[in-house]
Amino acid sequence: MFEQLELHADLCNALGDMGFTAPTSIQSSVIPKAMEGRDILASAPTGTGKTAAFLLPAAQFLLDFPREYHGATRILILSPTRELAIQTYEHALEITQHTNIVCGVITGGINYGTDRDTLAKNLDILVATPGRLFEHIEKESFDCRDIEVMILDEADRMLDMGFRSIVNQIASEARWRKQSMLFSATLEGPGIAQFSKDLLVNPESITVDPSRKEKAKIHQWYHLADDASHKYQLLKHILSEQAESAIVFVKTRERLQQLKDRLASDDIDVCWLQGEMPQDKRNQAMSRFKNGEVKILLATDVAARGIDVDDISHVINFDMPRTSDVYLHRIGRTGRAGAKGTAISIVEAHDFAMLGRIARYIKEVIKPRVIDELRPKHKAPTIKKPKKSTLKKNTKKGGKKSSGPKKKGRGKNITSRKQDNG
Ligand code: ADP
Ligand code: MG
């Protein structure tokens, strides 16, 4: 029960309006510690309610310590992408709907005039992407000196996107703050430890593991494709026969454009999100997808980060991600809030090394499936449990650099696999 967390009645009422009856596990772990004023280093899988885990204590802080004078922003939330910033802002509006707390959002792709109006508003809570905010700091159109709480959402993605230095600079501008919180889907990867050292003081570290129940909700399998055209046929089949609503992930903007054109020529209606897209177009695409007008959303990873759309039945990896944690982020788009979800990867032989790494990372077997009329000509190699020899072989195969003389046994194996690849 949220009441047990000693949140203000106005916040509890808002939660009631939003249909939140009980806190999620990350919320019940984070909120009391954050309300003590501790710095927080928190990780929990995508879709487990991290946003409210930091918005609620932030709002409670503003209610406990009301403003004494008109001034600049008191709570700063940094988000890696525009979509995520806007979603977090909307979430903040909902949570603070019965209070006088003033919220604003600043992201790239919005015109500077709008930013000026936003910043003129004596904001209590500002959600911002680091790049645009830093422009304002440099132009002295934003003042960090009144910031009391700084929150970093999706810190792992911030690092991936190269925001480390900008975020550190923003943090040093906001050096009079009383509290910092860092949220991430994972704390793995070399960067996060240093990042949190730079930003947090003696943090309370909170990690919530994906419960077995949570994971079991997402059914995962893969289809083996012989080549690019077979891959496309499989996708088309899945989209038209199986998926009610789907996000299809591709690895680059160029691939996204190609796929979109191809699907359009087959009369399959899609919308898409990619980086460097005008804000109004992105919003348009998102709302067409969210209101069900279009069932299929094509996206690159950068563009899709943090998107929270309910009821996505399928996540389809048309291109495999480059790392296992990105896979986890992708499939986290489905199976939310107790719904059953499906994640399908369409792989060619050269994707098997990645598929194996992912299976080891998520500690689950990803099984193959076959669509009768689209059977692959080749047999799917089985993905085995962690085994040093398999690991090595796969790595070797990918590395074109090794120019040394081939060792006999291994070389043979590699050659035959290569032929399989066509
Ligand atoms: P994360 O940031 O961990 O990926 P979000 O904060 O985006 O997760 O929340 C995922 C979804 O769960 C959102 O639709 C949100 O409204 C919903 N949600 C969050 N907390 C609760 C709760 N306590 N009860 C019900 N739904 C919740
Ligand atoms: Mg989030």
Side-chain angles (χ1 to χ4, degrees):
M1 287 289 110
F2 279 107
E3 282 75 11
Q4 282 158 357
L5 295 173
E6 296 173 23
L7 292 164
H8 194 284
D10 288 348
L11 301 177
C12 290
N13 288 338
L15 292 167
D17 297 344
M18 293 161 74
F20 291 15
T21 48
T24 64
S25 43
I26 188 74
Q27 289 162 4
S28 31
S29 319
V30 165
I31 293 170
K33 291 291 171 193
M35 278 166 58
E36 287 171 18
R38 289 284 304 269
D39 277 9
I40 303 285
L41 171 63
S43 79
T46 314
T48 54
K50 292 191 285 300
T51 321
F54 58 75
L55 285 176
L56 286 167
Q60 182 63 42
F61 171 80
L62 294 171
L63 296 170
D64 286 340
F65 304 97
R67 231 185 231 295
E68 283 161 10
Y69 55 93
H70 278 311
T73 302
R74 300 179 64 193
I75 311 259
L76 173 65
I77 300 166
L78 293 178
S79 292
T81 66
R82 300 166 195 176
E83 269 76 26
L84 189 67
I86 289 166
Q87 270 171 39
T88 303
Y89 164 68
E90 285 167 353
H91 210 118
L93 288 180
E94 282 194 283
I95 281 183
T96 59
Q97 60 184 300
H98 300 301
T99 71
N100 295 323
I101 294 170
V102 183
C103 307
V105 62
I106 281 188
T107 79
I110 293 176
N111 78 48
Y112 290 89
T114 312
D115 281 2
R116 264 195 302 279
D117 297 344
T118 305
L119 292 173
K121 270 199 285 189
N122 271 315
L123 296 175
D124 296 304
I125 299 179
L126 173 66
V127 187
T129 50
R132 176 59 72 91
L133 183 72
F134 194 64
E135 281 180 46
H136 285 291
I137 292 175
E138 287 198 306
K139 287 193 297 193
E140 301 190 352
S141 43
F142 180 74
D143 188 348
C144 286
R145 274 174 304 184
D146 284 349
I147 289 171
E148 292 168 89
V149 181
M150 187 174 94
I151 297 158
L152 260 81
D153 194 17
E154 310 250 9
D156 48 349
R157 179 53 42 148
M158 297 242 196
L159 291 177
D160 289 352
M161 292 175 70
F163 283 139
R164 175 196 293 281
S165 139
I166 282 195
V167 170
N168 278 330
Q169 289 178 73
I170 294 172
S172 83
E173 293 288 332
R175 59 186 162 280
W176 288 285
R177 65 189 187 272
K178 302 186 175 94
Q179 188 179 24
S180 309
M181 307 186 212
L182 186 153
F183 286 78
S184 188
T186 57
L187 298 179
E188 280 166 42
I192 290 279
Q194 186 56 45
F195 205 32
S196 57
K197 262 192 212 147
D198 294 341
L199 299 167
L200 307 175
V201 180
N202 184 26
E204 176 79 27
S205 186
I206 296 165
T207 295
V208 171
D209 278 329
S211 67
R212 285 207 165 273
K213 254 199 300 181
E214 230 168 80
K215 275 204 276 186
K217 280 186 238 148
I218 303 176
H219 297 282
Q220 304 169 56
W221 64 80
Y222 72 88
H223 289 281
L224 179 63
D226 293 323
D227 51 30
S229 115
H230 186 205
K231 194 169 169 177
Y232 177 76
Q233 295 306 324
L234 286 164
L235 176 70
K236 214 171 86 176
H237 190 279
I238 293 164
L239 290 178
S240 50
E241 305 283 319
Q242 303 178 12
E244 289 151 39
S245 63
I247 297 193
V248 180
F249 283 98
V250 286
K251 65 184 167 202
T252 62
R253 268 183 278 165
E254 292 71 27
R255 301 258 310 157
L256 189 146
Q257 289 299 325
Q258 282 168 10
L259 184 60
K260 160 201 103 168
D261 293 341
R262 184 102 195 254
L263 288 165
S265 73
D266 279 327
D267 285 330
I268 297 176
D269 199 12
V270 302
C271 53
W272 66 94
L273 276 188
Q274 58 183 31
E276 290 165 38
M277 191 172 176
Q279 191 60 41
D280 55 335
K281 280 245 171 116
R282 299 170 74 102
N283 294 346
Q284 243 172 44
M286 273 321 292
S287 64
R288 289 180 71 207
F289 185 61
K290 275 191 176 179
N291 67 26
E293 194 185 317
V294 182
K295 304 281 183 208
I296 300 157
L297 176 71
L298 309 186
T300 58
D301 288 303
V302 169
R305 177 74 181 195
I307 286 170
D308 169 30
V309 187
D310 293 333
D311 306 325
I312 296 171
S313 71
H314 285 61
V315 167
I316 299 172
N317 296 308
F318 188 66
D319 292 326
M320 289 306 274
R322 256 168 305 176
T323 59
S324 306
D325 62 323
V326 173
Y327 177 87
L328 212 55
H329 280 303
R330 286 184 179 184
I331 71 168
R333 314 276 130 231
T334 185
R336 288 189 160 200
K340 213 167 64 179
T342 302
I344 303 178
S345 300
I346 308 179
V347 303
E348 291 177 74
H350 63 256
D351 295 313
F352 266 81
M354 191 64 233
L355 203 58
R357 282 198 290 277
I358 290 168
R360 284 189 291 274
Y361 182 80
I362 63 174
K363 299 194 180 71
E364 274 181 65
V365 186
I366 305 177
K367 290 192 178 144
R369 284 206 185 173
V370 170
I371 294 170
D372 245 353
E373 56 269 44
L374 290 170
R375 272 181 189 284
K377 291 192 198 77
H378 302 298
K379 257 203 169 159
T382 39
I383 309 171
K384 293 207 177 102
K385 287 242 172 84
K387 220 179 176 187
K388 286 247 167 73
S389 58
T390 339
L391 241 176
K392 250 189 178 166
K393 225 183 279 169
N394 287 343
T395 328
K396 262 274 155 68
K397 193 172 75 102
K400 282 178 192 148
K401 276 171 271 168
S402 66
S403 54
K406 278 183 197 162
K407 286 197 187 121
K408 262 196 180 161
R410 244 187 223 162
K412 219 161 121 194
N413 205 330
I414 292 167
T415 327
S416 69
R417 278 197 181 212
K418 273 211 173 130
Q419 277 166 353
D420 267 4
N421 284 346

